[in-house]
Amino acid sequence: MTQIRIGHGYDAHRFAEPGDNRPLVLGGITVPHDRGLLAHSDGDALIHALCDAILGALALGDIGRHFPDTDAAFKNIDSANLLSHVVQLMQDKGWSVINADMTILAQAPKMAPHIPAMRQRLAELLQVDVDAVNVKASTTEGMGFVGRREGLETHAVVLLSR
């Protein structure tokens, strides 16, 4: 009998100050913008939410448990490496991704032109067909910290099977 599990992940990061020269990395790609995200790693909030969704479905805690921001080994790390590690944990337990659905909430920059590249990169990292990966984006109509352009937030849902 096939088993399935669902997991949800969330992440939010504050934007760095202009001139900090941090790239904006989301979904494993660099998105042109004047400000990156403050984080111990590269700040890829979309990958962080995806990691949490997979870890949640596996009942393995969260990204902070596996990659603590107190560990210098993860300072400025490419979050794609974190996702690859999480995917390996998933595979070691006999699970695979059926599909992943993610949402980026950001007032700026516009995400639509970058979504195809994000989907492709995330599909590669998840080792699934691009048709199993969805990324969408929205604004908050000027409300809250996202609307004030202080940062952005991301959500991810995954369905796993074994």
Side-chain angles (χ1 to χ4, degrees):
M1 174 183 263
T2 300
Q3 295 177 312
I4 61 169
R5 288 189 182 177
I6 191 168
H8 174 263
Y10 169 84
D11 198 25
H13 284 281
R14 178 180 299 276
F15 281 116
E17 292 300 318
D20 279 356
N21 296 322
R22 284 188 66 93
L24 177 57
V25 180
L26 282 174
I29 68 162
T30 300
V31 175
H33 193 52
D34 65 337
R35 298 165 70 187
L37 296 170
L38 289 177
H40 185 68
S41 68
D42 65 2
D44 191 330
L46 192 59
I47 283 184
H48 298 172
L50 182 55
C51 286
D52 269 351
I54 294 168
L55 291 167
L58 297 171
L60 291 177
D62 64 18
I63 194 170
R65 177 176 154 201
H66 293 266
F67 314 106
D69 63 7
T70 55
D71 189 334
F74 304 120
K75 180 74 174 157
N76 295 320
I77 193 168
D78 181 342
S79 293
N81 294 334
L82 306 181
L83 180 55
S84 292
H85 180 80
V86 169
V87 167
Q88 188 61 57
L89 287 173
M90 175 190 71
Q91 291 172 340
D92 289 348
K93 291 189 162 287
W95 293 90
S96 60
V97 172
I98 294 175
N99 77 304
D101 184 30
M102 291 153 277
T103 304
I104 303 166
L105 295 166
Q107 207 63 39
K110 294 288 185 195
M111 297 294 164
H114 311 290
I115 287 175
M118 288 180 198
R119 289 182 63 219
Q120 185 62 47
R121 178 67 176 135
L122 292 169
E124 291 167 6
L125 292 166
L126 293 170
Q127 300 174 27
V128 298
D129 189 80
V130 72
D131 289 341
V133 177
N134 188 54
V135 176
K136 54 198 177 296
S138 186
T139 69
T140 60
E141 302 291 328
M143 297 180 294
F145 76 92
V146 171
R148 291 187 302 270
R149 299 176 187 222
E150 295 170 10
L152 57 77
E153 65 182 297
T154 59
H155 296 264
V157 178
V158 296
L159 185 62
L160 307 183
S161 68
R162 175 167 69 178

Coordinates of all heavy atoms in Angstrom, one line a residue, residues 71-157:
D71 N 25.8 27.6 13.9 CA 26.9 26.8 13.4 C 27.6 27.6 12.2 O 27.0 27.8 11.2 CB 26.4 25.5 12.9 CG 27.5 24.5 12.5 OD1 28.6 24.9 12.1 OD2 27.2 23.3 12.6
A72 N 28.9 27.9 12.4 CA 29.7 28.6 11.4 C 29.7 27.9 10.1 O 29.9 28.5 9.0 CB 31.1 28.9 11.9
A73 N 29.5 26.6 10.1 CA 29.6 25.8 8.9 C 28.5 26.2 7.9 O 28.7 26.0 6.7 CB 29.5 24.3 9.1
F74 N 27.4 26.8 8.4 CA 26.3 27.2 7.5 C 26.3 28.7 7.2 O 25.4 29.2 6.5 CB 25.0 26.8 8.1 CG 25.0 25.3 8.4 CD1 24.8 24.9 9.7 CD2 25.1 24.4 7.4 CE1 24.8 23.5 10.0 CE2 25.1 23.0 7.7 CZ 24.9 22.6 9.0
K75 N 27.4 29.4 7.6 CA 27.4 30.9 7.3 C 27.6 31.1 5.8 O 28.4 30.5 5.1 CB 28.7 31.5 8.0 CG 28.8 32.9 7.8 CD 27.8 33.7 8.6 CE 28.1 35.2 8.5 NZ 26.9 36.0 8.7
N76 N 26.6 31.8 5.3 CA 26.6 32.2 3.8 C 26.4 31.0 2.9 O 26.7 31.1 1.7 CB 27.8 33.1 3.4 CG 27.7 34.4 4.1 OD1 26.7 35.0 4.3 ND2 28.9 34.8 4.6
I77 N 26.0 29.8 3.4 CA 25.9 28.6 2.6 C 24.9 28.8 1.5 O 23.8 29.5 1.7 CB 25.7 27.4 3.5 CG1 25.9 26.1 2.7 CG2 24.3 27.4 4.1 CD1 25.9 24.8 3.5
D78 N 25.1 28.2 0.4 CA 24.1 28.1 -0.7 C 23.0 27.2 -0.2 O 23.2 26.0 0.1 CB 24.8 27.5 -1.9 CG 23.9 27.4 -3.1 OD1 22.6 27.5 -3.0 OD2 24.4 27.3 -4.2
S79 N 21.8 27.7 -0.1 CA 20.6 27.0 0.4 C 20.3 25.8 -0.4 O 19.7 24.8 0.0 CB 19.4 27.9 0.6 OG 19.7 28.8 1.6
A80 N 20.7 25.8 -1.7 CA 20.5 24.6 -2.5 C 21.2 23.4 -1.9 O 20.7 22.3 -2.0 CB 21.1 24.8 -3.9
N81 N 22.4 23.6 -1.2 CA 23.1 22.5 -0.6 C 22.2 22.0 0.6 O 22.2 20.8 0.9 CB 24.4 23.0 -0.1 CG 25.4 23.3 -1.2 OD1 25.3 22.8 -2.3 ND2 26.3 24.2 -0.9
L82 N 21.5 22.9 1.3 CA 20.7 22.4 2.4 C 19.5 21.6 1.9 O 19.2 20.5 2.4 CB 20.1 23.7 3.2 CG 21.1 24.7 3.7 CD1 20.4 25.8 4.4 CD2 22.2 24.0 4.6
L83 N 18.9 22.0 0.8 CA 17.8 21.3 0.2 C 18.3 19.9 -0.3 O 17.6 18.9 -0.1 CB 17.2 22.1 -1.0 CG 16.0 21.4 -1.7 CD1 14.9 20.9 -0.7 CD2 15.4 22.3 -2.8
S84 N 19.5 19.9 -0.9 CA 20.0 18.6 -1.4 C 20.2 17.6 -0.2 O 19.9 16.4 -0.3 CB 21.4 18.8 -2.1 OG 21.2 19.5 -3.3
H85 N 20.6 18.1 0.9 CA 20.8 17.3 2.1 C 19.4 16.8 2.6 O 19.3 15.6 2.9 CB 21.5 18.1 3.2 CG 21.7 17.3 4.5 ND1 22.7 16.4 4.7 CD2 20.9 17.3 5.6 CE1 22.6 15.8 5.9 NE2 21.5 16.4 6.5
V86 N 18.4 17.7 2.6 CA 17.1 17.3 3.0 C 16.5 16.2 2.1 O 15.9 15.3 2.5 CB 16.2 18.5 3.1 CG1 14.7 18.1 3.3 CG2 16.6 19.4 4.3
V87 N 16.7 16.4 0.8 CA 16.2 15.4 -0.2 C 16.9 14.1 0.0 O 16.2 13.0 -0.1 CB 16.5 16.0 -1.7 CG1 16.3 14.9 -2.7 CG2 15.6 17.1 -2.0
Q88 N 18.2 14.1 0.3 CA 18.9 12.8 0.6 C 18.3 12.1 1.9 O 18.1 10.9 1.9 CB 20.4 13.1 0.8 CG 21.2 11.8 0.9 CD 21.0 10.9 -0.3 OE1 21.3 11.4 -1.4 NE2 20.6 9.7 -0.2
L89 N 18.0 12.9 2.9 CA 17.3 12.4 4.1 C 16.0 11.7 3.7 O 15.7 10.6 4.2 CB 17.1 13.5 5.2 CG 18.2 14.0 5.9 CD1 17.8 15.2 6.8 CD2 18.8 12.9 6.8
M90 N 15.2 12.4 2.9 CA 13.9 11.9 2.4 C 14.1 10.6 1.7 O 13.4 9.6 1.9 CB 13.3 13.0 1.5 CG 12.0 12.6 0.9 SD 11.4 13.8 -0.4 CE 12.7 13.5 -1.7
Q91 N 15.0 10.6 0.7 CA 15.3 9.4 -0.1 C 15.8 8.2 0.8 O 15.4 7.1 0.6 CB 16.2 9.7 -1.2 CG 15.6 10.6 -2.2 CD 16.6 11.1 -3.3 OE1 17.8 11.0 -3.0 NE2 16.1 11.5 -4.4
D92 N 16.6 8.5 1.8 CA 17.1 7.5 2.7 C 16.0 6.8 3.5 O 16.1 5.7 3.9 CB 18.1 8.1 3.7 CG 19.5 8.4 3.0 OD1 19.7 8.1 1.8 OD2 20.3 9.1 3.7
K93 N 14.9 7.6 3.7 CA 13.7 7.0 4.4 C 12.7 6.4 3.4 O 11.7 5.9 3.9 CB 13.1 8.1 5.3 CG 14.0 8.5 6.4 CD 13.2 9.4 7.3 CE 13.8 9.5 8.7 NZ 13.6 8.3 9.5
G94 N 13.1 6.4 2.1 CA 12.2 5.7 1.2 C 11.1 6.6 0.6 O 10.2 6.0 0.0
W95 N 11.2 7.9 0.8 CA 10.1 8.8 0.3 C 10.6 9.5 -0.9 O 11.7 9.7 -1.2 CB 9.8 9.8 1.4 CG 9.1 9.2 2.6 CD1 9.8 8.7 3.7 CD2 7.7 9.0 2.8 NE1 8.9 8.2 4.6 CE2 7.6 8.4 4.1 CE3 6.6 9.2 2.1 CZ2 6.4 8.0 4.6 CZ3 5.4 8.9 2.6 CH2 5.3 8.3 3.9
S96 N 9.6 10.0 -1.7 CA 9.9 10.8 -2.9 C 8.8 11.9 -3.0 O 7.7 11.7 -2.5 CB 9.9 10.0 -4.2 OG 8.7 9.3 -4.4
V97 N 9.1 12.9 -3.7 CA 8.2 14.1 -3.9 C 7.2 13.7 -5.0 O 7.6 13.3 -6.1 CB 8.9 15.3 -4.2 CG1 8.0 16.5 -4.6 CG2 9.8 15.8 -3.0
I98 N 5.9 13.9 -4.7 CA 4.9 13.8 -5.7 C 4.7 15.2 -6.3 O 4.7 15.3 -7.5 CB 3.5 13.3 -5.1 CG1 3.6 11.9 -4.6 CG2 2.4 13.5 -6.2 CD1 2.3 11.4 -3.9
N99 N 4.6 16.2 -5.5 CA 4.5 17.6 -6.0 C 4.9 18.5 -4.9 O 4.8 18.2 -3.7 CB 3.2 17.9 -6.7 CG 2.1 18.2 -5.7 OD1 1.8 17.3 -4.8 ND2 1.5 19.3 -5.8
A100 N 5.2 19.7 -5.3 CA 5.5 20.8 -4.4 C 4.9 22.1 -4.9 O 4.9 22.4 -6.1 CB 7.0 21.1 -4.3
D101 N 4.2 22.8 -4.0 CA 3.5 24.1 -4.4 C 4.0 25.2 -3.4 O 4.0 25.0 -2.2 CB 2.0 23.9 -4.3 CG 1.2 25.1 -4.7 OD1 1.7 25.9 -5.6 OD2 0.1 25.3 -4.2
M102 N 4.5 26.3 -4.0 CA 5.1 27.3 -3.1 C 4.6 28.7 -3.5 O 4.2 28.9 -4.7 CB 6.6 27.3 -3.3 CG 7.3 26.1 -2.8 SD 8.8 25.7 -3.6 CE 8.3 24.8 -5.0
T103 N 4.6 29.6 -2.5 CA 4.1 30.9 -2.7 C 5.1 31.9 -2.1 O 5.6 31.7 -1.0 CB 2.7 31.2 -2.0 OG1 1.8 30.2 -2.5 CG2 2.2 32.6 -2.3
I104 N 5.4 32.9 -2.9 CA 6.3 34.0 -2.5 C 5.4 35.2 -2.3 O 4.6 35.6 -3.2 CB 7.4 34.4 -3.5 CG1 8.2 33.2 -3.8 CG2 8.2 35.6 -3.0 CD1 9.1 33.3 -5.1
L105 N 5.5 35.9 -1.1 CA 4.8 37.1 -0.8 C 5.8 38.2 -0.8 O 6.7 38.3 0.1 CB 4.0 37.1 0.5 CG 2.9 36.0 0.4 CD1 2.4 35.8 1.8 CD2 1.7 36.5 -0.5
A106 N 5.8 39.1 -1.8 CA 6.7 40.2 -1.9 C 6.1 41.4 -2.6 O 5.5 41.2 -3.6 CB 8.0 39.7 -2.6
Q107 N 6.3 42.6 -2.1 CA 5.9 43.8 -2.7 C 6.7 44.1 -3.9 O 6.3 44.6 -5.0 CB 5.8 44.9 -1.7 CG 4.8 46.0 -2.1 CD 3.4 45.5 -2.0 OE1 3.0 44.7 -1.2 NE2 2.6 46.0 -2.9
A108 N 8.0 43.8 -3.8 CA 9.0 44.0 -4.9 C 10.2 43.1 -4.6 O 10.4 42.8 -3.4 CB 9.5 45.5 -4.9
P109 N 10.9 42.6 -5.6 CA 10.7 42.9 -7.0 C 9.6 42.0 -7.6 O 9.1 41.1 -6.9 CB 12.0 42.5 -7.6 CG 12.5 41.4 -6.7 CD 12.0 41.8 -5.3
K110 N 9.2 42.3 -8.8 CA 8.3 41.4 -9.5 C 8.9 40.0 -9.7 O 10.0 39.9 -10.2 CB 7.9 42.0 -10.9 CG 7.1 43.3 -10.8 CD 5.7 43.1 -10.3 CE 4.9 44.3 -10.3 NZ 3.7 44.2 -9.5
M111 N 8.2 39.0 -9.3 CA 8.7 37.6 -9.4 C 8.3 36.9 -10.7 O 9.1 36.0 -11.1 CB 8.2 36.8 -8.2 CG 8.6 37.3 -6.9 SD 10.4 37.1 -6.7 CE 10.6 38.2 -5.3
A112 N 7.3 37.3 -11.4 CA 6.8 36.5 -12.5 C 7.8 36.2 -13.6 O 7.9 35.1 -14.0 CB 5.6 37.3 -13.2
P113 N 8.7 37.1 -13.9 CA 9.7 36.8 -14.9 C 10.7 35.7 -14.5 O 11.4 35.1 -15.3 CB 10.5 38.1 -15.2 CG 9.6 39.2 -14.6 CD 8.8 38.6 -13.5
H114 N 10.8 35.5 -13.2 CA 11.8 34.6 -12.7 C 11.3 33.2 -12.3 O 12.1 32.3 -12.0 CB 12.5 35.3 -11.5 CG 13.0 36.6 -11.8 ND1 14.0 36.9 -12.6 CD2 12.5 37.8 -11.4 CE1 14.2 38.2 -12.8 NE2 13.3 38.8 -12.0
I115 N 10.0 33.1 -12.3 CA 9.4 31.9 -11.8 C 9.7 30.6 -12.7 O 10.0 29.6 -12.1 CB 7.8 32.0 -11.6 CG1 7.6 32.9 -10.4 CG2 7.1 30.7 -11.6 CD1 6.1 33.3 -10.1
P116 N 9.8 30.7 -14.0 CA 10.2 29.5 -14.8 C 11.6 29.0 -14.4 O 11.8 27.8 -14.2 CB 10.2 30.0 -16.2 CG 9.1 31.1 -16.2 CD 9.3 31.8 -14.9
A117 N 12.5 29.9 -14.2 CA 13.9 29.5 -13.8 C 13.9 28.9 -12.4 O 14.6 27.9 -12.1 CB 14.9 30.7 -13.8
M118 N 13.1 29.5 -11.4 CA 12.9 28.9 -10.1 C 12.4 27.5 -10.2 O 12.9 26.6 -9.5 CB 12.0 29.8 -9.2 CG 12.6 31.1 -8.8 SD 11.4 31.9 -7.8 CE 12.0 33.6 -7.8
R119 N 11.3 27.3 -10.9 CA 10.7 26.0 -11.0 C 11.7 25.0 -11.6 O 11.8 23.8 -11.1 CB 9.5 26.0 -12.0 CG 8.3 26.8 -11.4 CD 7.1 26.8 -12.3 NE 6.6 25.4 -12.5 CZ 6.2 24.9 -13.7 NH1 6.2 25.7 -14.8 NH2 5.8 23.7 -13.8
Q120 N 12.4 25.3 -12.6 CA 13.4 24.4 -13.2 C 14.5 24.0 -12.2 O 14.8 22.9 -12.0 CB 14.1 25.1 -14.4 CG 15.0 24.1 -15.2 CD 14.3 22.9 -15.7 OE1 13.3 23.0 -16.3 NE2 14.9 21.7 -15.5
R121 N 15.0 25.0 -11.5 CA 16.1 24.8 -10.5 C 15.6 23.9 -9.3 O 16.2 23.0 -8.9 CB 16.7 26.1 -10.0 CG 17.8 25.9 -8.9 CD 19.0 25.3 -9.5 NE 20.0 25.2 -8.5 CZ 20.8 24.1 -8.3 NH1 20.7 23.0 -9.1 NH2 21.7 24.1 -7.4
L122 N 14.4 24.2 -8.8 CA 13.8 23.5 -7.7 C 13.5 22.0 -8.2 O 13.7 21.1 -7.4 CB 12.6 24.2 -7.2 CG 12.9 25.5 -6.4 CD1 11.6 26.2 -6.1 CD2 13.7 25.3 -5.2
A123 N 13.0 21.8 -9.4 CA 12.8 20.5 -9.9 C 14.1 19.7 -9.9 O 14.1 18.5 -9.6 CB 12.1 20.6 -11.3
E124 N 15.1 20.3 -10.4 CA 16.4 19.6 -10.4 C 16.8 19.2 -9.0 O 17.3 18.1 -8.8 CB 17.5 20.5 -11.0 CG 17.4 20.8 -12.5 CD 18.3 22.0 -12.9 OE1 19.1 22.5 -12.1 OE2 18.1 22.4 -14.1
L125 N 16.7 20.1 -8.1 CA 17.1 19.8 -6.7 C 16.2 18.7 -6.0 O 16.7 17.9 -5.3 CB 17.1 21.1 -5.8 CG 18.2 22.1 -6.2 CD1 17.9 23.4 -5.6 CD2 19.6 21.6 -5.8
L126 N 15.0 18.7 -6.4 CA 14.0 17.7 -5.8 C 14.1 16.4 -6.6 O 13.5 15.4 -6.2 CB 12.6 18.3 -5.9 CG 12.3 19.4 -4.9 CD1 10.9 20.0 -5.2 CD2 12.4 19.0 -3.5
Q127 N 14.7 16.4 -7.8 CA 14.8 15.3 -8.6 C 13.5 14.8 -9.1 O 13.1 13.6 -9.1 CB 15.6 14.1 -7.9 CG 17.0 14.5 -7.5 CD 17.7 13.5 -6.7 OE1 17.4 12.3 -6.8 NE2 18.6 14.0 -5.9
V128 N 12.7 15.8 -9.6 CA 11.3 15.5 -10.1 C 11.2 16.3 -11.4 O 12.0 17.2 -11.7 CB 10.2 15.9 -9.1 CG1 10.3 15.1 -7.9 CG2 10.2 17.4 -8.8
D129 N 10.2 16.0 -12.2 CA 9.9 16.7 -13.4 C 9.4 18.1 -13.0 O 8.7 18.3 -12.0 CB 8.8 16.0 -14.2 CG 8.6 16.6 -15.5 OD1 9.4 16.3 -16.4 OD2 7.6 17.4 -15.7
V130 N 9.7 19.1 -13.8 CA 9.3 20.5 -13.6 C 7.8 20.6 -13.4 O 7.3 21.5 -12.7 CB 9.9 21.4 -14.6 CG1 9.1 21.3 -16.0 CG2 9.8 22.9 -14.2
D131 N 7.0 19.7 -14.1 CA 5.5 19.8 -13.9 C 5.1 19.4 -12.5 O 3.9 19.6 -12.2 CB 4.9 18.8 -14.9 CG 5.0 19.3 -16.3 OD1 5.2 20.5 -16.5 OD2 4.8 18.5 -17.3
A132 N 5.9 18.9 -11.7 CA 5.6 18.6 -10.3 C 5.9 19.8 -9.3 O 5.7 19.6 -8.1 CB 6.3 17.3 -9.8
V133 N 6.4 20.9 -9.9 CA 6.8 22.0 -9.0 C 6.1 23.3 -9.5 O 6.1 23.6 -10.6 CB 8.3 22.2 -9.2 CG1 8.8 23.5 -8.4 CG2 9.1 21.0 -8.7
N134 N 5.4 23.9 -8.5 CA 4.7 25.1 -8.8 C 5.2 26.2 -7.9 O 5.4 26.0 -6.7 CB 3.2 25.0 -8.6 CG 2.4 26.2 -9.1 OD1 2.6 26.6 -10.2 ND2 1.6 26.8 -8.2
V135 N 5.5 27.4 -8.5 CA 5.9 28.6 -7.7 C 4.9 29.7 -8.2 O 4.7 29.9 -9.4 CB 7.3 29.0 -8.0 CG1 7.7 30.3 -7.2 CG2 8.3 27.9 -7.6
K136 N 4.4 30.4 -7.2 CA 3.6 31.5 -7.6 C 3.9 32.7 -6.6 O 4.6 32.5 -5.6 CB 2.1 31.2 -7.5 CG 1.7 30.6 -6.1 CD 0.3 29.9 -6.3 CE -0.1 29.2 -5.0 NZ 0.7 28.1 -4.6
A137 N 3.5 33.9 -7.0 CA 3.9 35.1 -6.2 C 2.7 36.0 -6.1 O 1.8 36.0 -7.0 CB 5.1 35.8 -6.8
S138 N 2.7 36.7 -5.0 CA 1.6 37.7 -4.8 C 2.2 38.9 -3.9 O 3.3 38.7 -3.3 CB 0.4 37.1 -4.0 OG -0.6 38.0 -3.9
T139 N 1.5 40.0 -3.9 CA 1.8 41.1 -3.0 C 0.9 41.0 -1.8 O 0.0 40.1 -1.8 CB 1.7 42.4 -3.7 OG1 0.3 42.7 -3.9 CG2 2.5 42.5 -5.0
T140 N 1.0 41.9 -0.9 CA 0.1 42.0 0.2 C -0.7 43.3 0.1 O -1.2 43.7 1.1 CB 0.8 41.9 1.6 OG1 1.7 42.9 1.7 CG2 1.5 40.5 1.7
E141 N -0.8 43.8 -1.1 CA -1.5 45.1 -1.3 C -1.1 46.2 -0.4 O -1.9 47.0 0.1 CB -3.0 44.8 -1.1 CG -3.6 43.7 -2.1 CD -3.6 44.1 -3.5 OE1 -3.8 45.3 -3.8 OE2 -3.5 43.3 -4.4
G142 N 0.2 46.2 -0.1 CA 0.8 47.3 0.8 C 0.6 47.1 2.3 O 1.0 47.9 3.0
M143 N 0.1 45.9 2.7 CA -0.2 45.7 4.1 C 1.0 45.0 4.8 O 1.7 44.1 4.1 CB -1.4 44.8 4.3 CG -2.7 45.5 3.8 SD -4.2 44.5 4.1 CE -3.8 43.1 3.0
G144 N 1.3 45.2 6.0 CA 2.2 44.5 6.8 C 3.7 44.8 6.4 O 4.0 45.6 5.6
F145 N 4.6 43.9 7.0 CA 6.0 44.1 6.7 C 6.3 43.9 5.3 O 7.2 44.5 4.7 CB 6.9 43.3 7.7 CG 6.9 41.8 7.3 CD1 7.9 41.3 6.5 CD2 6.0 40.9 7.8 CE1 8.0 39.9 6.2 CE2 6.0 39.6 7.5 CZ 7.0 39.1 6.7
V146 N 5.6 43.0 4.6 CA 5.8 42.7 3.2 C 5.4 44.0 2.4 O 6.1 44.4 1.5 CB 5.1 41.5 2.7 CG1 5.2 41.3 1.2 CG2 5.7 40.2 3.4
G147 N 4.3 44.5 2.7 CA 3.8 45.7 2.0 C 4.6 46.9 2.2 O 4.7 47.7 1.3
R148 N 5.3 47.0 3.4 CA 6.2 48.1 3.6 C 7.6 47.9 3.0 O 8.5 48.7 3.2 CB 6.3 48.4 5.2 CG 5.0 48.9 5.8 CD 5.2 49.3 7.2 NE 5.7 48.2 8.1 CZ 4.9 47.3 8.7 NH1 3.6 47.4 8.6 NH2 5.4 46.3 9.4
R149 N 7.7 46.8 2.4 CA 9.0 46.4 1.7 C 10.1 46.2 2.7 O 11.3 46.5 2.4 CB 9.4 47.4 0.6 CG 8.3 47.5 -0.5 CD 8.6 48.5 -1.5 NE 7.5 48.6 -2.4 CZ 7.6 48.8 -3.7 NH1 8.7 48.8 -4.3 NH2 6.5 48.9 -4.4
E150 N 9.8 45.7 3.9 CA 10.8 45.4 4.9 C 11.4 44.0 4.7 O 12.5 43.7 5.2 CB 10.2 45.5 6.3 CG 9.7 46.9 6.7 CD 8.9 46.9 8.0 OE1 8.8 45.9 8.7 OE2 8.3 48.0 8.3
G151 N 10.7 43.2 4.0 CA 11.1 41.8 3.8 C 10.1 41.1 2.9 O 9.2 41.7 2.3
L152 N 10.3 39.8 2.9 CA 9.3 38.9 2.2 C 9.1 37.6 3.0 O 9.8 37.3 3.9 CB 9.8 38.6 0.8 CG 11.1 38.0 0.5 CD1 11.1 36.5 0.8 CD2 11.6 38.2 -0.9
E153 N 8.0 36.9 2.6 CA 7.7 35.7 3.2 C 7.4 34.6 2.2 O 7.0 35.0 1.0 CB 6.6 35.8 4.2 CG 5.3 36.2 3.7 CD 4.2 36.3 4.8 OE1 3.9 35.3 5.5 OE2 3.7 37.5 5.0
T154 N 7.5 33.4 2.6 CA 7.3 32.3 1.6 C 6.6 31.1 2.3 O 6.7 30.9 3.5 CB 8.6 31.7 1.1 OG1 9.4 31.3 2.2 CG2 9.4 32.8 0.3
H155 N 5.8 30.4 1.6 CA 5.1 29.2 2.0 C 5.4 28.1 1.1 O 5.5 28.3 -0.1 CB 3.6 29.4 2.1 CG 3.1 30.5 3.0 ND1 2.7 30.2 4.3 CD2 3.1 31.8 2.9 CE1 2.4 31.3 4.9 NE2 2.6 32.3 4.1
A156 N 5.4 26.8 1.6 CA 5.6 25.7 0.7 C 4.8 24.5 1.3 O 4.7 24.3 2.5 CB 7.1 25.3 0.7
V157 N 4.2 23.8 0.3 CA 3.5 22.5 0.7 C 4.0 21.4 -0.2 O 4.2 21.7 -1.4 CB 2.0 22.7 0.4 CG1 1.2 21.4 0.8 CG2 1.4 23.8 1.3

